[in-house]
Amino acid sequence: MRDSEATCIEHLRERARRSVPRMFYDYVDAGSWSEATYRANARDLAALCFRQRVAVNIAGRHQGSTMAGRGVTMPVALAPVGFAGMVHGDGEILAARAAESFGVPFTLSTVSICSIEDVAAHTSVPFWFQLYIMKDRAFVESLVGRAKRAGCSALVLTLDLPMQGLRHKDLRNGLSAPPRLGLRSMIAMARRPRWCAAMLATRRRTFGNIVGHASGVEGTLSFADWVSKQFDPSVSWDDVRWLRGLWGGKLILKGIMDVEDARKAVEVGADVVVVSNHGGRQLDGAPSSISALPSIVEAVGDKLEIWLDGGITSGQDALKALALGARGTMIGRAFLYGLGAHGQAGVRRSLEIIQREMDLTMALCGMSRIDEIDRSMLTTRSLAALGVR
Ligand SMILES: Cc1cc2nc3c(=O)[nH]c(=O)nc-3n(C[C@H](O)[C@H](O)[C@H](O)COP(=O)(O)O)c2cc1C
């Protein structure tokens, strides 16, 4: 299938499955533990139904909006994802360029393969930087300084990973960057010649923000080992306040699933919270992010901007989140499948698919603008099933 032939994210996922070596495909298409929360994200979105409306003038539709003060062609940002440069050679640069050309924000993960400086050198619109708070606070400070110097326009602080969730597939596959060269991994890679060609053409094969920057980190890095040694289980709201001062710009807190935590986010002066369970990759058994959204919107929706991620694989999913009060959304796997399938063109394709689905759905629901969207777009019966009054 060529880029132009993929008409839904599922086509891109299937293509990515056949293009990306198992270790990295499994890293993307998996949740933690039993994957119950990973499945719940998609299931609860699917259970919401739209109200079909007719004879409404929908001639002047568009999806333009703002996210954290930035104009966007649709309120769908690329979420921070680790290892994107292992899903496709130079993955973060390619995804950032696709986002830039489409007019949506790109977020670079702390555990990216391409570094902050690399992505800045290959893009012309400021991107966002995602940070994990690590034990080595001097390294955290240096990352924040590097993000500032690179012109990043917002800091996304991820709070739901003080320790890594149990991800069986990654442990079984021995996930690392670069991949360790055993017989099994060599055979797996040899069966993916286009992936190999892109990897051989780049020098970016390990964690660009970390290796050579954090003290004592060299060469091949086992992600699980590094996270368990470096991520700080003592992180508290005081640390968030400290970072707020250190950064001084727009602060987006990601991984908020509880009303009490959302209130704390307001207290520390966050600009945005992302209702997120890390795509079902952290606390398995947590509720779906869409089901956590309404109570958080009710509690703090008038005090800061609320976004949602988790399970969005279509424009319809994004609209459902907006209908329940999110001002913006983020996508992880939906763009990674495009990246794995066709590199930059695939990421762009995933964004085109989502926008086309948003546009068509808005039209058939009698909506012309993003700021018109509210709960009335969804049937009361499906809202009740999700516990929304
Ligand atoms: C492969 C993968 C890697 C991820 N890495 C990070 C990361 O480095 N930092 C982070 O804050 N979130 C990370 N996430 C979570 C995403 O930012 C986002 O919350 C999640 O992907 C949303 O769910 P979705 O994939 O169903 O869209 C990752 C998600 C995936 C799928």
Side-chain angles (χ1 to χ4, degrees):
M1 181 177 295
R2 291 192 306 273
D3 299 341
S4 54
E5 292 167 341
T7 55
C8 62
I9 299 297
E10 177 57 18
H11 290 157
L12 295 171
R13 187 196 65 74
E14 180 49 33
R15 177 61 193 237
R17 192 182 63 75
R18 286 183 282 117
S19 307
V20 179
R22 177 78 178 267
M23 174 192 290
F24 299 113
Y25 177 80
D26 277 356
Y27 171 66
V28 175
D29 187 9
S32 54
W33 274 273
S34 71
E35 304 191 331
T37 298
Y38 177 29
R39 287 191 299 274
N41 281 342
R43 183 200 60 214
D44 287 354
L45 278 166
L48 289 166
C49 296
F50 291 106
R51 283 174 65 206
Q52 175 176 312
R53 304 299 306 278
V54 297
V56 180
N57 180 352
I58 41 112
R61 292 176 325 280
H62 68 90
Q63 287 73 45
S65 186
T66 61
M67 289 180 79
R70 166 171 174 181
V72 292
T73 45
M74 63 177 174
V76 179
L78 302 199
V81 290
F83 285 89
M86 283 289 142
V87 172
H88 191 288
D90 295 337
E92 291 88 1
I93 291 174
L94 301 183
R97 284 182 160 177
E100 179 172 324
S101 77
F102 199 83
V104 296
F106 170 78
T107 319
L108 185 72
S109 163
T110 296
V111 288
S112 57
I113 303 298
C114 304
S115 68
I116 303 173
E117 293 78 8
D118 256 349
V119 175
H122 290 87
T123 50
S124 48
V125 171
F127 55 95
W128 298 336
F129 181 65
Q130 176 267 324
L131 184 74
Y132 287 120
I133 301 186
M134 284 155 281
K135 288 179 188 156
D136 182 349
R137 296 299 154 92
F139 179 50
V140 172
E141 286 186 32
S142 87
L143 278 172
V144 169
R146 288 167 63 194
K148 280 188 193 173
R149 284 192 294 282
C152 294
S153 52
L155 189 72
V156 178
L157 178 62
T158 299
L159 292 168
D160 58 10
L161 205 145
M163 294 174 74
Q164 201 187 13
L166 186 61
R167 302 180 194 161
H168 297 292
K169 287 180 186 161
D170 294 350
L171 294 174
R172 201 180 54 217
N173 291 331
L175 182 73
S176 70
R180 288 197 179 79
L181 293 180
L183 184 64
R184 223 178 100 204
S185 62
M186 301 247 292
I187 293 172
M189 287 188 281
R191 293 171 67 192
R192 301 288 186 263
R194 281 191 324 133
W195 180 90
C196 288
M199 272 308 157
L200 289 171
T202 180
R203 60 188 160 78
R204 303 177 185 96
R205 293 190 211 112
T206 188
F207 297 100
N209 293 327
I210 298 165
V211 175
H213 294 278
S215 58
V217 184
E218 301 299 332
T220 299
L221 207 56
S222 152
F223 188 56
D225 283 357
W226 187 74
V227 168
S228 68
K229 288 194 193 107
Q230 257 307 320
F231 283 36
D232 189 348
S234 75
V235 168
S236 71
W237 288 101
D238 285 340
D239 297 296
V240 179
R241 271 189 208 93
W242 168 72
L243 250 167
R244 152 110 268 181
L246 188 67
W247 171 248
K250 292 256 184 231
L251 182 66
I252 300 165
L253 297 185
K254 178 166 175 285
I256 303 297
M257 287 286 289
D258 192 278
V259 166
E260 276 184 41
D261 290 338
R263 292 206 172 99
K264 294 261 197 253
V266 172
E267 272 169 43
V268 299
D271 298 286
V272 179
V273 294
V274 189
V275 175
S276 170
N277 51 32
H278 216 101
R281 299 163 73 79
Q282 282 298 105
L283 177 62
D284 192 41
S288 65
S289 46
I290 193 73
S291 68
L293 177 66
S295 54
I296 294 179
V297 169
E298 199 175 304
V300 298
D302 56 342
K303 301 199 170 63
L304 40 59
E305 225 171 278
I306 298 171
W307 303 346
L308 174 126
D309 76 18
I312 295 179
T313 54
S314 69
Q316 292 212 335
D317 292 337
L319 286 173
K320 289 172 181 178
L322 300 181
L324 286 185
R327 282 274 308 276
T329 62
M330 297 185 111
I331 52 169
R333 297 175 182 93
F335 90 83
L336 281 172
Y337 295 145
L339 180 68
H342 303 291
Q344 183 170 333
V347 177
R348 186 166 170 105
R349 188 73 192 133
S350 69
L351 293 168
E352 286 165 356
I353 287 169
I354 286 173
Q355 188 174 32
R356 189 200 285 171
E357 290 166 343
M358 279 181 108
D359 184 50
L360 195 54
T361 306
M362 283 171 69
L364 299 179
C365 291
M367 302 272 178
S368 296
R369 294 191 326 268
I370 293 294
D371 62 10
E372 284 173 3
I373 293 172
D374 62 15
R375 270 183 206 180
S376 69
M377 193 179 195
L378 303 173
T379 64
T380 44
R381 186 189 279 191
S382 70
L383 287 168
L386 198 69
V388 180
R389 290 180 308 274

